[in-house]
Amino acid sequence: QVQLVESGGGLVQPGGSLRLSCAASGTIFRINRLHWHRQAPGKERELVATISNVDNTNYADSVKGRFTISRDNAKNTVFLQMNSLKPEDTAVYYCNLQNWELERWSNYWGQGTQVTVSS
């Protein structure tokens, strides 16, 4: 079983920065993907960024050039560096691990961390 614990959320002014962390415990398979999603009040959950086990990355258009996803495999941790934050980035941010096991993707989720961008 995999457990994910996010940290680093908080209140920041527009234009500011935050760095989210997600620490994973348990079995992480050789083929895997780590994602950050977010969900704002009244909106559907949105995929923000993805990093694969070979460090391929993808970003939502709304965060390209401002957010950077990275991982530290030795510490089983994924990060989301968020710069030039905007009020519309306000949301609960969730970490999601996909393990390729038994010829399918298994999904694991963290509990979420609140990010509020406001003056």
Side-chain angles (χ1 to χ4, degrees):
Q1 189 69 10
V2 174
Q3 289 189 328
L4 303 172
V5 179
E6 299 103 333
S7 60
L11 173 64
V12 63
Q13 291 187 344
S17 298
L18 280 176
R19 189 191 195 206
L20 305 183
S21 300
C22 173
S25 60
T27 302
I28 299 176
F29 284 69
R30 183 178 60 85
I31 299 176
N32 63 79
R33 298 187 294 208
L34 284 158
H35 313 276
W36 285 99
H37 302 252
R38 67 186 180 187
Q39 188 165 20
K43 294 188 176 181
E44 293 188 353
R45 191 169 293 191
E46 170 191 22
L47 177 60
V48 174
T50 296
I51 187 165
S52 73
N53 54 286
V54 292
D55 288 343
N56 291 326
T57 58
N58 282 289
Y59 298 91
D61 288 343
S62 58
V63 307
K64 279 182 182 177
R66 301 188 298 121
F67 290 10
T68 303
I69 189 170
S70 61
R71 61 192 294 168
D72 183 336
N73 291 325
K75 297 181 179 180
N76 286 340
T77 301
V78 62
F79 305 97
L80 186 68
Q81 177 66 43
M82 304 185 295
N83 299 327
S84 302
L85 283 161
K86 305 175 181 180
E88 51 264 42
D89 294 318
T90 296
V92 178
Y93 284 71
Y94 297 91
C95 176
N96 165 221
L97 165 68
Q98 289 184 302
N99 269 335
W100 182 251
E101 53 182 319
L102 301 176
E103 298 186 352
R104 64 180 179 88
W105 291 108
S106 296
N107 275 288
Y108 303 91
W109 291 86
Q111 81 288 352
T113 185
Q114 176 70 46
V115 171
T116 302
V117 184
S118 175
S119 55

Short mmCIF file of all heavy atoms in Angstrom, two decimals, residues 60-82:
data_model
loop_
_atom_site.label_atom_id
_atom_site.label_comp_id
_atom_site.label_asym_id
_atom_site.label_seq_id
_atom_site.Cartn_x
_atom_site.Cartn_y
_atom_site.Cartn_z
N ALA A 60 -0.26 21.76 -17.51
CA ALA A 60 -1.46 22.41 -18.02
C ALA A 60 -1.06 23.76 -18.61
O ALA A 60 -0.12 24.41 -18.12
CB ALA A 60 -2.47 22.61 -16.90
N ASP A 61 -1.75 24.18 -19.65
CA ASP A 61 -1.42 25.45 -20.30
C ASP A 61 -1.47 26.61 -19.31
O ASP A 61 -0.69 27.56 -19.42
CB ASP A 61 -2.39 25.72 -21.46
CG ASP A 61 -2.14 24.82 -22.65
OD1 ASP A 61 -1.03 24.22 -22.73
OD2 ASP A 61 -3.03 24.70 -23.51
N SER A 62 -2.36 26.51 -18.35
CA SER A 62 -2.56 27.62 -17.41
C SER A 62 -1.37 27.83 -16.47
O SER A 62 -1.26 28.90 -15.85
CB SER A 62 -3.83 27.37 -16.58
OG SER A 62 -3.73 26.14 -15.89
N VAL A 63 -0.48 26.84 -16.37
CA VAL A 63 0.65 26.97 -15.44
C VAL A 63 2.01 26.91 -16.13
O VAL A 63 3.05 27.07 -15.47
CB VAL A 63 0.59 25.91 -14.32
CG1 VAL A 63 -0.76 25.95 -13.62
CG2 VAL A 63 0.89 24.52 -14.86
N LYS A 64 2.02 26.68 -17.43
CA LYS A 64 3.30 26.58 -18.16
C LYS A 64 4.12 27.85 -17.99
O LYS A 64 3.60 28.97 -18.09
CB LYS A 64 3.04 26.32 -19.64
CG LYS A 64 2.74 24.89 -19.98
CD LYS A 64 2.53 24.71 -21.48
CE LYS A 64 2.19 23.27 -21.82
NZ LYS A 64 1.91 23.09 -23.25
N GLY A 65 5.39 27.65 -17.70
CA GLY A 65 6.28 28.79 -17.51
C GLY A 65 6.28 29.34 -16.10
O GLY A 65 7.12 30.17 -15.76
N ARG A 66 5.32 28.90 -15.28
CA ARG A 66 5.25 29.39 -13.89
C ARG A 66 5.49 28.27 -12.88
O ARG A 66 6.06 28.51 -11.81
CB ARG A 66 3.88 30.02 -13.62
CG ARG A 66 3.54 31.19 -14.51
CD ARG A 66 2.26 31.89 -14.06
NE ARG A 66 1.10 31.02 -14.13
CZ ARG A 66 0.33 30.72 -13.09
NH1 ARG A 66 0.60 31.20 -11.89
NH2 ARG A 66 -0.74 29.93 -13.26
N PHE A 67 5.02 27.07 -13.20
CA PHE A 67 5.16 25.93 -12.29
C PHE A 67 6.21 24.96 -12.81
O PHE A 67 6.34 24.78 -14.03
CB PHE A 67 3.84 25.18 -12.15
CG PHE A 67 2.75 25.92 -11.41
CD1 PHE A 67 2.86 27.26 -11.07
CD2 PHE A 67 1.58 25.24 -11.05
CE1 PHE A 67 1.86 27.92 -10.40
CE2 PHE A 67 0.57 25.89 -10.36
CZ PHE A 67 0.71 27.23 -10.05
N THR A 68 6.91 24.31 -11.88
CA THR A 68 7.89 23.29 -12.24
C THR A 68 7.71 22.08 -11.34
O THR A 68 7.73 22.21 -10.12
CB THR A 68 9.32 23.82 -12.09
OG1 THR A 68 9.49 24.99 -12.90
CG2 THR A 68 10.33 22.76 -12.53
N ILE A 69 7.52 20.92 -11.97
CA ILE A 69 7.43 19.67 -11.21
C ILE A 69 8.78 18.97 -11.26
O ILE A 69 9.48 18.98 -12.28
CB ILE A 69 6.31 18.76 -11.78
CG1 ILE A 69 6.07 17.56 -10.86
CG2 ILE A 69 6.60 18.32 -13.21
CD1 ILE A 69 4.83 16.75 -11.22
N SER A 70 9.16 18.38 -10.13
CA SER A 70 10.43 17.65 -10.05
C SER A 70 10.27 16.53 -9.03
O SER A 70 9.29 16.48 -8.29
CB SER A 70 11.58 18.59 -9.66
OG SER A 70 11.34 19.16 -8.39
N ARG A 71 11.24 15.63 -9.01
CA ARG A 71 11.17 14.51 -8.09
C ARG A 71 12.55 14.18 -7.56
O ARG A 71 13.55 14.38 -8.23
CB ARG A 71 10.54 13.29 -8.76
CG ARG A 71 11.28 12.76 -9.96
CD ARG A 71 10.43 11.74 -10.73
NE ARG A 71 10.22 10.53 -9.94
CZ ARG A 71 9.34 9.59 -10.26
NH1 ARG A 71 8.58 9.71 -11.34
NH2 ARG A 71 9.21 8.52 -9.50
N ASP A 72 12.56 13.66 -6.34
CA ASP A 72 13.77 13.15 -5.71
C ASP A 72 13.51 11.67 -5.42
O ASP A 72 12.83 11.33 -4.45
CB ASP A 72 14.05 13.93 -4.42
CG ASP A 72 15.34 13.49 -3.74
OD1 ASP A 72 15.78 12.34 -3.97
OD2 ASP A 72 15.91 14.29 -2.97
N ASN A 73 14.03 10.81 -6.28
CA ASN A 73 13.73 9.38 -6.15
C ASN A 73 14.33 8.78 -4.88
O ASN A 73 13.77 7.85 -4.30
CB ASN A 73 14.23 8.64 -7.38
CG ASN A 73 13.44 8.99 -8.61
OD1 ASN A 73 12.24 9.23 -8.56
ND2 ASN A 73 14.11 9.03 -9.76
N ALA A 74 15.45 9.31 -4.45
CA ALA A 74 16.07 8.78 -3.23
C ALA A 74 15.19 9.01 -2.01
O ALA A 74 15.21 8.22 -1.06
CB ALA A 74 17.44 9.42 -3.02
N LYS A 75 14.41 10.08 -2.05
CA LYS A 75 13.54 10.41 -0.93
C LYS A 75 12.07 10.11 -1.23
O LYS A 75 11.20 10.43 -0.41
CB LYS A 75 13.70 11.88 -0.56
CG LYS A 75 15.10 12.24 -0.07
CD LYS A 75 15.18 13.71 0.31
CE LYS A 75 16.57 14.05 0.82
NZ LYS A 75 16.70 15.48 1.20
N ASN A 76 11.79 9.53 -2.40
CA ASN A 76 10.41 9.24 -2.80
C ASN A 76 9.51 10.47 -2.62
O ASN A 76 8.42 10.40 -2.04
CB ASN A 76 9.84 8.07 -1.99
CG ASN A 76 10.41 6.74 -2.42
OD1 ASN A 76 10.94 6.62 -3.53
ND2 ASN A 76 10.34 5.75 -1.57
N THR A 77 9.99 11.57 -3.13
CA THR A 77 9.28 12.84 -2.95
C THR A 77 9.14 13.54 -4.30
O THR A 77 10.08 13.53 -5.10
CB THR A 77 10.02 13.75 -1.96
OG1 THR A 77 10.12 13.08 -0.71
CG2 THR A 77 9.27 15.06 -1.76
N VAL A 78 7.99 14.14 -4.51
CA VAL A 78 7.75 14.95 -5.70
C VAL A 78 7.46 16.38 -5.23
O VAL A 78 6.85 16.58 -4.17
CB VAL A 78 6.60 14.40 -6.56
CG1 VAL A 78 5.28 14.40 -5.79
CG2 VAL A 78 6.47 15.16 -7.87
N PHE A 79 7.90 17.34 -6.02
CA PHE A 79 7.75 18.75 -5.67
C PHE A 79 6.99 19.49 -6.76
O PHE A 79 6.99 19.09 -7.93
CB PHE A 79 9.13 19.39 -5.51
CG PHE A 79 10.03 18.71 -4.53
CD1 PHE A 79 10.98 17.79 -4.97
CD2 PHE A 79 9.92 18.96 -3.18
CE1 PHE A 79 11.81 17.14 -4.07
CE2 PHE A 79 10.75 18.31 -2.26
CZ PHE A 79 11.70 17.40 -2.71
N LEU A 80 6.36 20.57 -6.35
CA LEU A 80 5.77 21.50 -7.32
C LEU A 80 6.19 22.90 -6.91
O LEU A 80 5.70 23.42 -5.90
CB LEU A 80 4.25 21.37 -7.36
CG LEU A 80 3.57 22.21 -8.44
CD1 LEU A 80 3.93 21.65 -9.83
CD2 LEU A 80 2.05 22.22 -8.27
N GLN A 81 7.10 23.47 -7.68
CA GLN A 81 7.52 24.84 -7.45
C GLN A 81 6.57 25.75 -8.21
O GLN A 81 6.43 25.64 -9.43
CB GLN A 81 8.95 25.05 -7.93
CG GLN A 81 9.45 26.47 -7.79
CD GLN A 81 9.59 26.90 -6.34
OE1 GLN A 81 10.08 26.16 -5.50
NE2 GLN A 81 9.16 28.12 -6.03
N MET A 82 5.91 26.64 -7.48
CA MET A 82 4.91 27.51 -8.07
C MET A 82 5.36 28.96 -7.94
O MET A 82 5.51 29.46 -6.81
CB MET A 82 3.55 27.32 -7.38
CG MET A 82 3.08 25.88 -7.39
SD MET A 82 1.41 25.67 -6.71
CE MET A 82 1.71 26.14 -5.02
#
